[in-house]
Amino acid sequence: MTRFLPAEDYLPSGRYELLPFRFERLDDERVLLSNMAGEALTVSSADLTTLVNGDLDRSGALFSRLRANHFLRQPEDRAALELLALKLRTRYARLRDFTSLHLFVVTLRCDHACRYCQVSRQSADRASFDMSRETADRAIDLLFRSPNQALKVEFQGGEPLLNFDLIRYVVLSITERNRQHKRDIQFVITTTLSLISDDTLAFCREHRIFLSASLDGPEDLHNANRPRPGADSHARFVAGLEKARDVLGPEAVSALMTTTAASLQRGPGIVDEYLRLGFHGIFLRHLSPYGFALKTQSYQGYDTARWLEFYEETLTYIIDLNRSGVRFTEQHAAIILRKMFSCHDPGYVDLMNPSGAGIAAIVFNYDGGVFASDESRMLMEMGDDTFRLGSVHEHGYDEIFSAPALLSALEDSFTLSAPMCADCACEPWCGADPVYHHARHGDPLGRKAESGFCQRMKGMTRIFVKAMEDPFVAALFRRWALSC
Amino acid sequence: MLTLNGKALAWGGSAERTLWKLTSNPALPVVLREKMAFLQRGNGPLPQGFGAYILPPEQQGIPPCAHWLHLPPDFAYLAEGDIISVNAGRIRTLWRQNSPHNAVLLTERCDNNCVMCSQPPKNIEDHWLVAEAMDLVRMIPPSAPVLGFTGGEPALLGQRLIDLLALTRARLPTTAVHLLSNGRGFADPAFSDAYAAIQHPDLMVGIPLYAADPAQHDYIVQARGAFDQTVRGILALKERGQRVEVRVVLHRQTIEGLPALAQFIARNLQFIDQVALMGLEVTGFARANLDQVWIDPADYRPTLENAVALLRDYQVPVRIYNHPLCLLGEMAAQYSVKSISDWKNEYVAECAACTRRQDCGGFFSSGARYRYSPSLRPFL
Ligand code: SF4
Ligand code: SF4
Ligand code: SF4
């Protein structure tokens, strides 16, 4: 009869090696660890000390967890390195595909005068603020230079439906040219839905165009945030939504909300409004410090700490909805959680490293100016042209994508070499935002200790880690993460 | 439980090992008879000219050829098209024409020595097994839908395994092939290159992984460094575009680590083709080490449920085999497959009234005999 050796005989001996990981103190007792692939564990402060001193007990559960999750290895563990490398490659796989998102700012004109809006104009002057066909043609040339097989074309404004003729022109000519290119192309119009018509919808249906709409919450809040003649923004949204769903189907319209100072008290009410209108999720978005928002100081209406409070309260409300059997997702969380739960980058431009600006996404402004991001063109409206990479009328593809303004911003903000970021446990889930930090701190790197962007990311991470102590939430977050 | 190996009650003819395909058709054209064995059903007259005669014990008279044997009653299941090996009166059933679960043993040697191995490894010279498998592959009809190869550890055969698989691809081009291996051999790039170069259109290798913690896996398979080699083997196979199933036997030594293992698979091996979670077969070492490996499935129901939910969320295809349906949670039950080889699959008295026997994975008959859950709850 064969003799079997006991489990102890298979425990490793000799020194273990630490694999690259970073940590963040959650409180006096506990520390969050993350490895290179973004896998996270919570351990006690004392255990962290034992771990780095090389004194961990080989027969303990913690040693086994850390070894299985690639925080440490025995010198003979070759698979650990292969797997870690594979996961890291997966995390950055998107870089190879280069630009996917192409924004066309088809007009600056708008029927709304939203308080936080950065760029819109109340003007009937088509010539000055609409994109022309010539400009669009040049932008389309650049679009097809992107090596990415999957392209997303998003029409922005102002209110893009005010220049629907151009949208029609762009969609038709891209579709025509794509007969040869055979890319996978998705069209999206970002609109308030106030001007949606049967014709528009018929065209959207024919070309499978999605609508990304804005809904800030219940009627009074929404209308206060989004003034328009007649003070009927909300009513028009609801009517437009139903009409669009009749033609395009239940999932063709998504909605985005922006948190203003007036929203802060009303998280659950905002969620209820989304629920009532048949949405299955919400993206809880903070105000960005650009454009009029910055200029009019309405951005000062709240700071990051206050937004985080609002966020946690609203997220808790959403979790409780799920607990009661209603499936509803917080999409901002889902994006960050996706990076915590997997190595597949969700492709969210604001949280990428290297920065998604100018690489993952590019903006063609109404006048042909090319910008690294939507925020970059908003800065431009305030007179700061740092992230204007060129013009479709004057510059070729190579010039635009190797513009010094872009390259130095990408390099300078690269998180793996940025002070604080390089040592931060949240780095795998975070990203570089050179445009924000330039706007706030005057350089693409910024000072992370004072950065609202950084504070928000760390704050959200803490909220998630804390919430996931509840197994129900851990399972819920996993589902969000993996289906986003 | 079917008897696959046995001794003839009486036999005559050459003592050399020969593979015979059986037929009971007395009208077979004479030119085809020489290579076939005639399987006599009743006690009628024997047709002339067959290569061998497989006879019931009560058969009277002298067979019309030197090669013959009297079949013991437990081989009564043999039927038209089955293939047996006969060697000095020893009978081994190699192929059952009407079974979807034909598995061919390629070697009894193994570089693991798992605490619950159902086929305890023997360190013996058994290269004749793979030679026999080659002959068998040449006899199996090309219309066969599936064929399994098992061990021991087939990868220890090295080039011989590659040759066998290449032959199988050529002879049985549309047959799905399932190979069981502990995966360690594939960590050698030269070997996985050779394996991939066969370019078999429908070949999957099932590789057991028992824990996310290398020490625990190594303990279960009783081999230091096995985890590392197995994982690198899986990576090498996937890198080369080969299909891989990860197999986890559920028992006392794997259950505690199952959630961590599911997580490990989801995060590191998400690209594998399938995870198979399997009930324990209470035979071989599992029987010898029963106290160490036995756990009542009723006790791990929530653990299994969580592991399945995790794999589902990560979109890793998962299946549960050989597991009593009534001991699975609601979600795990959706992934249960009725799959045990027909001759292993049995039910116990509790199951008599159960309305879902048709869908139930049941247990291995060894389980029915030696140990099964006291918590069975028939669906009524
Ligand atoms: S910005 Fe802040 S949270 Fe993000 S990686 Fe840098 S230090 Fe960490
Ligand atoms: S790998 Fe398979 S054949 Fe080898 S000892 Fe383990 S169970 Fe038995
Ligand atoms: S009682 Fe029914 S479900 Fe349970 S093992 Fe028997 S046949 Fe399967």
Side-chain angles (χ1 to χ4, degrees), chain A residues 5 9 79 87 340-341, chain B residues 222 224 228 267-268 313-314:
Chain A
L5 300 176
D9 283 37
K87 288 187 276 192
M340 301 179 82
F341 278 94
Chain B
Q222 294 278 306
R224 227 172 223 281
D228 204 64
R267 296 267 347 207
N268 295 282
D313 286 356
Y314 277 92

Side-chain angles (χ1 to χ4, degrees), chain A residues 2 4-5 7 9-11 37 39 64 68 70 76-79 82 87 340-344 478-479 482, chain B residues 113 212-215 218-219 222-224 228 231-232 235 264 267-268 270-271 285 288-289 309-310 313-314:
Chain A
T2 328
F4 293 96
L5 300 176
D9 283 37
Y10 293 93
L11 293 176
E39 290 159 303
S64 144
H70 305 146
E76 64 273 18
D77 292 349
R78 290 165 61 188
E82 280 187 35
K87 288 187 276 192
M340 301 179 82
F341 278 94
S342 87
C343 295
H344 298 281
R478 190 174 75 209
R479 273 208 309 279
L482 298 172
Chain B
N113 195 40
D213 176 3
D218 289 358
Y219 158 64
Q222 294 278 306
R224 227 172 223 281
D228 204 64
V231 170
R232 286 191 289 122
L235 288 180
F264 178 85
R267 296 267 347 207
N268 295 282
Q270 208 186 350
F271 39 75
F285 288 156
N289 296 327
L310 187 140
D313 286 356
Y314 277 92

Side-chain angles (χ1 to χ4, degrees), chain A residues 60-307:
Chain A
L62 183 60
F63 181 84
S64 144
R65 261 172 89 209
L66 291 166
R67 190 178 182 200
N69 288 288
H70 305 146
F71 285 81
L72 58 77
R73 70 158 189 155
Q74 289 296 132
E76 64 273 18
D77 292 349
R78 290 165 61 188
L81 295 189
E82 280 187 35
L83 291 171
L84 211 43
L86 187 61
K87 288 187 276 192
L88 203 59
R89 269 204 303 280
T90 307
R91 263 187 67 201
Y92 289 107
R94 236 171 226 280
L95 278 177
R96 185 181 42 202
D97 298 335
F98 215 57
T99 320
S100 166
L101 180 59
H102 294 75
L103 280 100
F104 286 67
V105 180
V106 296
T107 181
L108 285 190
R109 293 181 299 121
C110 191
D111 60 328
H112 280 73
C114 301
R115 303 219 184 280
Y116 46 73
C117 180
Q118 293 94 343
V119 292
S120 72
R121 297 287 193 288
Q122 270 61 53
S123 164
D125 183 356
R126 294 188 140 247
S128 309
F129 299 119
D130 282 12
M131 184 182 269
S132 69
R133 290 190 176 196
E134 294 69 45
T135 303
D137 283 337
R138 295 268 156 78
I140 296 169
D141 290 342
L142 293 171
L143 166 94
F144 279 114
R145 290 290 304 276
S146 167
N148 205 318
Q149 271 310 305
L151 300 173
K152 191 167 166 186
V153 177
E154 188 171 324
F155 299 103
Q156 282 260 11
E159 170 51 62
L161 295 184
L162 285 172
N163 194 7
F164 192 69
D165 278 349
L166 186 79
I167 294 180
R168 192 189 297 268
Y169 175 78
V170 171
V171 170
L172 291 177
S173 72
I174 288 179
T175 307
E176 175 58 34
R177 288 171 66 171
N178 196 39
R179 277 182 219 278
Q180 283 182 13
H181 289 277
K182 298 199 188 333
R183 310 283 182 94
D184 169 13
I185 299 182
Q186 191 187 68
F187 296 103
V188 182
I189 303 174
T190 299
T191 169
T192 60
L193 293 180
S194 61
L195 302 172
I196 200 95
S197 70
D198 293 341
D199 277 357
T200 314
L201 287 173
F203 185 79
C204 290
R205 197 179 95 118
E206 191 184 338
H207 296 277
R208 277 188 244 104
I209 301 173
F210 289 87
L211 301 177
S212 167
S214 325
L215 174 64
D216 283 355
E219 187 157 15
D220 64 311
L221 176 63
H222 181 92
N223 285 344
N225 279 348
R226 300 178 164 266
R228 80 182 294 285
D232 59 354
S233 180
H234 187 272
R236 281 175 170 263
F237 173 88
V238 175
L241 178 68
E242 291 311 319
K243 211 150 112 175
R245 285 179 175 160
D246 284 349
V247 181
L248 305 177
E251 306 303 331
V253 187
S254 61
L256 266 180
M257 67 81 68
T258 299
T259 314
T260 59
S263 321
L264 294 172
Q265 307 290 345
R266 308 187 51 180
I270 296 170
V271 171
D272 281 349
E273 184 67 0
Y274 271 70
L275 204 54
R276 186 179 75 84
L277 292 174
F279 291 102
H280 304 298
I282 190 170
F283 195 119
L284 294 175
R285 205 165 49 146
H286 47 89
L287 262 185
S288 51
Y290 307 103
F292 292 160
L294 192 71
K295 231 184 226 165
T296 61
Q297 298 297 303
S298 77
Y299 172 71
Q300 301 298 345
Y302 59 85
D303 59 12
T304 306
R306 182 64 188 91
W307 183 82

Side-chain angles (χ1 to χ4, degrees), chain B residues 1-295:
Chain B
M1 170 124 138
L2 289 188
T3 305
L4 299 175
N5 300 319
K7 254 180 124 60
L9 299 175
W11 62 282
S14 158
E16 215 171 290
R17 180 172 38 248
T18 321
L19 267 51
W20 293 107
K21 187 181 276 191
L22 310 184
T23 179
S24 297
N25 178 7
L28 200 72
V30 175
V31 287
L32 297 179
R33 294 186 182 183
E34 196 190 337
K35 291 193 163 162
M36 305 279 281
F38 185 77
L39 177 66
Q40 171 75 319
R41 293 295 190 184
N43 193 1
L46 291 172
Q48 298 287 315
F50 280 92
Y53 290 83
I54 311 299
L55 308 169
E58 65 276 12
Q59 176 78 32
Q60 308 291 315
I62 305 300
C65 132
H67 302 298
W68 60 273
L69 59 79
H70 279 170
L71 206 57
D74 41 1
F75 280 91
Y77 63 82
L78 286 177
E80 185 76 26
D82 289 356
I83 300 171
I84 61 172
S85 145
V86 180
N87 176 14
R90 303 195 81 87
I91 312 163
R92 291 167 56 243
T93 304
L94 300 183
W95 176 261
R96 295 180 54 237
Q97 179 61 16
N98 285 321
S99 167
H101 301 289
N102 283 293
V104 182
L105 180 74
L106 300 183
T107 178
E108 292 193 81
R109 293 178 301 133
C110 188
D111 46 356
N112 282 354
N113 195 40
C114 304
V115 292
M116 73 305 154
C117 181
S118 59
Q119 177 78 46
K122 292 192 191 121
N123 193 7
I124 48 170
E125 205 317 301
D126 59 5
H127 280 144
W128 60 273
L129 275 170
V130 71
E132 186 181 79
M134 302 279 269
D135 291 339
L136 177 64
V137 164
R138 294 188 179 98
M139 293 170 74
I140 293 172
S143 59
V146 285
L147 172 62
F149 290 123
T150 83
E153 175 46 45
L156 293 179
L157 297 165
Q159 186 59 35
R160 271 179 259 243
L161 175 65
I162 304 296
D163 293 344
L164 172 67
L165 292 171
L167 179 77
T168 307
R169 187 203 151 163
R171 286 281 183 165
L172 305 170
T174 60
T175 303
V177 179
H178 198 278
L179 172 70
L180 287 184
S181 162
N182 65 34
R184 298 173 61 183
F186 293 98
D188 170 9
F191 184 67
S192 32
D193 279 345
Y195 178 86
I198 298 167
Q199 296 194 315
H200 195 290
D202 195 355
L203 169 63
M204 170 123 95
V205 52
I207 298 180
L209 193 65
Y210 293 130
D213 176 3
Q216 180 66 6
H217 176 91
D218 289 358
Y219 158 64
I220 293 170
V221 307
Q222 294 278 306
R224 227 172 223 281
F227 175 90
D228 204 64
Q229 275 185 335
T230 294
V231 170
R232 286 191 289 122
I234 294 170
L235 288 180
L237 284 162
K238 288 314 295 176
E239 226 171 90
R240 289 162 178 77
Q242 303 303 302
R243 295 173 65 218
V244 175
E245 169 190 74
V246 166
R247 298 162 75 88
V248 187
V249 180
L250 304 172
H251 58 79
R252 182 168 292 284
Q253 300 302 326
T254 56
I255 286 301
E256 195 188 326
L258 188 65
L261 177 59
Q263 163 111 1
F264 178 85
I265 292 171
R267 296 267 347 207
N268 295 282
L269 304 172
Q270 208 186 350
F271 39 75
I272 55 160
D273 299 272
Q274 160 169 329
V275 174
L277 304 169
M278 344 240 309
L280 180 67
E281 186 172 3
V282 186
T283 182
F285 288 156
R287 232 179 100 201
N289 296 327
L290 197 57
D291 289 342
Q292 236 171 306
V293 298
W294 170 258
I295 178 171

Side-chain angles (χ1 to χ4, degrees), chain B residues 324-326 347 350-351 354 356-357 360 362-363 376-379:
Chain B
L325 197 55
C326 55
Y347 300 90
E350 288 89 325
C351 305
C354 182
R356 295 194 61 190
R357 260 172 62 169
C360 175
F363 351 51
L376 296 181
R377 214 132 288 128
F379 295 96

